Amino acid sequence: MVVVLLLLLLTSTSLAAPSTPQPSETPQRTEPDAVAVVADFAERRHLHFIVAFGCWPDGGLTAMRTWSRRGLRASVHVLEEVRPDLGALLSTTRGAIAVCTALACPGALQIFRKAAGRQLLGAQRHWLLLGEPDADQLPQLALDSSVTLATPDTAAPGSWLLRDAYGLGTRLVVSPAVGWQPGSPMPAPPSRDNLQGLAIKAGIVKVHDDFSRYDDLRYRHLDTWSKLHYAISKVAAARLNFTHNIVFADQWGTRVTKDMFNGQVGQIQRGEVDVAVGGVALRAERSDAIDYTTPTGLFQPAFMFREPSLAAVSNVYTRPFSRGVWLSYSLAALLLALLVVTSQRLLARAQGVLSATADPAVAPPWVDVPLVAFSIVCEEGMQDPPQNTSSRILLMFLLVLAVFHMTAYSACIVTLLQLPSSSIKTLESLFSSKMRIVIHDLPYNINYGNETKDPLIKSFYRERVYSQPRKAFRPLEDCVAQMREGGVACHADEAAYKVIGDTFLESEKCSLKAVPMFPLRGIIMAVRKQSQYKETFSRTLTWLRETGLLKREWTRWVAQKPRCLNRDSGYAEVGLTEVSPALLMVCYGVAASLAALLFEVLLHRLVAAKQGRQKRQQKPGTGNTLVPRAFLR
């Protein structure tokens, strides 16, 4: 902290007028008192370096020795010899300093005015002005000016009257005088938490909503962050007693030249706005243009989507059983079907009816074994039930096995059709999926593709966003509506949760997932560089956080992710995506049957052509050579 003061100004020539009968008494009394006041001032405010301006009778050697004995370092300057570079003299690289001067010394007020013009009265430089100044002579001060006026108390010899001076806009505020005795604890500076109705130029970004609805919670999903921070600022205004002079912007601010920004950050740079009460994101590139107060919270936009079903990303019809179960069941069905056909053929042989022309119902051919097994597995049974008891018993147990298998299989399929896939957990998996991407139409969503250095995100913006901006950037309601239909990922912030909570069914809320693309960012109220309001707002926002008022406003204005209260509240819809493997199997079967039909037709024509050639080559009277019936079948 910085302390301004000291002027062992009252020298024997300045304090002892010619008419004074005791010229030596004043310097001996006043000079040690002033030196002690400065030393106590620095110690009570934990300042270990003093910069003193004055007109010293001995060049300040006495003061330097006194301060050195008390462990204080000092730099003493004679006002007539002060260099014009005040910034170097009042450098705070060593920490906060105490700056002291005596107003009665010629040139002291000019030094103070010059320091005020260069904004060297801030919290790191504590000024102590010895003497009674004229209010009209003091320069315009800032709210964070650290200036203490010290005058001897004529009513109590040895005591001093201390007053703090600071500015409220164009007004000078001087606190009531407080008596102080050197050596006793320094009185605490008066509070500056009453701005007395000061109008502060407050910046707000307005993108999607009219300012007349900024207090209506029904529209909190529009310009959420601006409304939230405006509500926080209103609570701070009630505590600090100031008013808002609103200045609007259409975006937060991106760099347009090496040193300049557009949007609200540019307004702060140019002095058009004192405080960005609508909040800005905490970003390193903005730190050269603006100062940050205390962060109010964190936000992280993300890709929100309804998690696709398991059937949409994999074939659920092969998942109920492991390969071992499928193999053992297939072998068991084939074996039992083989036993059924074998028992029928053995009985036909015993009865003497087994022949090439035998009825398939009595003696089925061996090629029917796979067909019989597949028919029973699918619970279709046999076209011609066996006549013998042994075959019927085998068929019965084969059908019982098929019932158990199909019951377990169907139960697993119904469950799997409603399960989420959990296949999209990262940006890589999202971008490589078949999901269509839609982005909330906000300035930071548009600019992020140009600012990020992530090669994955840059390629995504270049190939899938900037190539079709009209389809990619949509209003929030449209973005959420498309996400609800499925197969669409909507990139938005917490404002989307309000629309989701109003429009989604309970089962749809349970399938909601999010994958962040932005890094986690702090959101904060920003002020001008070296702003007089920085310390006041930082202190007030800290108080709001500690008292819970900040969390209260966040709860009111920032929608939370809807909770999944009942995952089984509705039935999962089964669409073409879910049944596509079964339809694909039918297509394969139709294609195979057409191929077999084509082969049979071709074979039939080949056999017919061969028979025709044989007829033409036969001699008259020779019997026709017939194709065996079994071959034609």
Side-chain angles (χ1 to χ4, degrees), residues 208 438-441 473-480 490:
H208 292 125
V438 181
I439 299 178
H440 185 199
D441 188 9
F473 297 104
R474 306 297 301 170
L476 183 60
E477 291 83 354
D478 188 14
C479 189
V480 173
C490 170

Side-chain angles (χ1 to χ4, degrees), residues 279-298:
V280 296
L282 185 61
R283 297 172 60 178
E285 62 269 21
R286 293 174 177 169
S287 60
D288 295 335
I290 58 178
D291 277 343
Y292 295 114
T293 59
T294 300
T296 55
L298 302 172

Side-chain angles (χ1 to χ4, degrees), residues 315 580-596:
N315 186 0
S580 58
L583 296 177
L584 193 61
M585 181 68 73
V586 172
C587 293
Y588 289 156
V590 171
S593 64
L594 291 177

Side-chain angles (χ1 to χ4, degrees), residues 388-498:
N388 58 319
T389 304
S390 61
S391 297
R392 292 191 176 194
I393 293 175
L394 288 172
L395 179 62
M396 180 183 67
F397 280 99
L398 186 56
L399 289 173
V400 170
L401 177 62
V403 169
F404 288 156
H405 168 268
M406 188 56 65
T407 301
Y409 184 81
S410 301
C412 289
I413 287 296
V414 172
T415 303
L416 292 174
L417 286 174
Q418 302 183 76
L419 284 180
S421 65
S422 301
S423 61
I424 301 178
K425 297 181 180 179
T426 62
L427 280 178
E428 291 83 353
S429 58
L430 176 63
F431 293 162
S432 61
S433 69
K434 297 180 180 179
M435 277 199 170
R436 189 162 58 87
I437 301 298
V438 181
I439 299 178
H440 185 199
D441 188 9
L442 283 174
Y444 63 78
N445 280 333
I446 298 174
N447 297 327
Y448 185 67
N450 297 325
E451 299 170 353
T452 182
K453 297 181 180 179
D454 190 322
L456 176 66
I457 300 177
K458 289 185 74 70
S459 62
F460 160 72
Y461 265 84
R462 183 174 59 254
E463 297 171 8
R464 302 180 61 179
V465 177
Y466 292 148
S467 60
Q468 47 177 3
R470 292 187 178 180
K471 293 183 179 180
F473 297 104
R474 306 297 301 170
L476 183 60
E477 291 83 354
D478 188 14
C479 189
V480 173
Q482 293 186 41
M483 176 178 63
R484 184 185 179 189
E485 296 175 359
V488 175
C490 170
H491 187 271
D493 53 30
E494 287 87 341
Y497 289 139
K498 197 267 182 185

Side-chain angles (χ1 to χ4, degrees), residues 332-350:
L334 282 173
L335 179 60
L336 290 176
L338 179 62
L339 292 176
V340 169
V341 172
T342 302
S343 65
Q344 287 183 278
R345 291 181 67 86
L346 288 175
L347 179 61
R349 175 175 291 181

Side-chain angles (χ1 to χ4, degrees), residues 83-96:
R83 295 178 300 168
D85 189 3
L86 274 181
L89 292 178
L90 303 181
S91 172
T92 58
T93 55
R94 298 165 294 234

Side-chain angles (χ1 to χ4, degrees), residues 44 47 65 125 167 178 388:
R44 300 304 179 187
L47 308 171
R65 293 192 190 100
R125 301 172 182 88
V178 177
N388 58 319

